[in-house]
Amino acid sequence: MAKLTFHGHSTFSIETGDGTRIVVDPWFTGNPMADIAAEDLEDLDYVFCTHGHEDHIVDAFPLVRRTGATLVSTFEIVMFAGSQGIEGGHPMHIGGGWDFPFGRVQMTPALHGGQVHGDESGQWTTVPGGFLFELDGTRVYHAGDTALLTDMQLLKGRVDVALLPIGDNFTMGPEEAVRAIEFIEPKVVVPIHYDTFELIEQDTDAFVEKVGSRARVEVMKAGDTMDLG
Ligand code: NI
Ligand code: MN
């Protein structure tokens, strides 16, 4: 059975039933919510990045360099990594899926900014995305940073656990996250991308109340682990 651990903001680590170790949107260095440092992660197999903003990618390249993990992200981000000496990444793009040894992953659309942190040339601007993971029979949707999208209706019936931004200002806020839940109909929702900065402070109790019976909301604190399935 796969396990999902929250590290604050949008950062998660996943360990699948077959022992594959994954980190998604690694931001440990300078993350006021993080429970561990990037250095605490060992033996990583994959690093997934939804988009290029600093708060989703800042520890990705150092983690890949140190652990030999495979970087998985948009074509542009993987090419940028290549220009920084990181070869062997797995490029994907919106709408495409791939059967990794641990399970299938599809990239989903997100509506957000495309800047890539560290790309001084501005050459590798990308389209941000999200990921839909199939992990030992449980489907986990990491929405990345996004506005509410009507396209989320296409995920209806395809998501067990939805990791949804609720911070407002840079992404969906709580009201839109409730509409996203109506579109997707996940069993479980984990709010992400809130409280890290003043601009995205939110009241999770009020969010749980707003969601009501639409889904079970799991408010994870950094360091919390959830068994999937
Ligand atoms: Ni962002
Ligand atoms: Mn962000």
Side-chain angles (χ1 to χ4, degrees), residues 52-214:
H53 283 162
E54 185 173 9
D55 55 321
H56 299 258
I57 205 170
V58 72
D59 287 308
F61 295 3
L63 278 169
V64 167
R65 283 197 183 96
R66 180 167 57 80
T67 66
T70 301
L71 176 71
V72 187
S73 193
T74 61
F75 174 81
E76 292 82 7
I77 289 175
V78 171
M79 290 305 111
F80 172 55
S83 78
Q84 304 295 299
I86 294 176
E87 306 294 340
H90 184 110
M92 298 185 72
H93 236 300
I94 309 299
W98 182 254
D99 292 314
F100 290 89
F102 63 86
R104 187 169 177 81
V105 184
Q106 186 176 23
M107 275 208 89
T108 56
L111 187 57
H112 189 65
Q115 177 243 9
V116 176
H117 175 69
D119 174 20
E120 307 288 333
S121 70
Q123 191 182 350
W124 302 110
T125 305
T126 193
V127 175
F131 293 109
L132 180 59
F133 295 91
E134 282 183 37
L135 303 166
D136 307 324
T138 301
R139 298 154 308 171
V140 179
Y141 169 50
H142 190 305
D145 281 2
T146 185
L148 177 71
L149 292 173
T150 50
D151 293 43
M152 287 172 180
Q153 293 173 84
L154 299 172
L155 294 171
K156 185 173 169 176
R158 299 184 59 205
V159 176
D160 299 300
V161 180
L163 317 176
L164 298 178
I166 68 160
D168 217 348
N169 193 67
F170 296 114
T171 66
M172 293 192 287
E175 302 281 344
E176 291 79 22
V178 169
R179 298 192 68 190
I181 292 164
E182 288 173 346
F183 287 163
I184 301 165
E185 297 184 3
K187 296 184 186 87
V188 178
V189 174
V190 179
I192 63 173
H193 212 273
Y194 69 95
D195 279 3
T196 325
F197 332 109
E198 240 177 77
L199 287 171
I200 58 174
E201 278 176 6
Q202 292 299 333
D203 178 345
T204 48
D205 290 339
F207 177 65
V208 171
E209 203 162 300
K210 274 195 180 78
V211 174
S213 60
R214 292 175 182 89

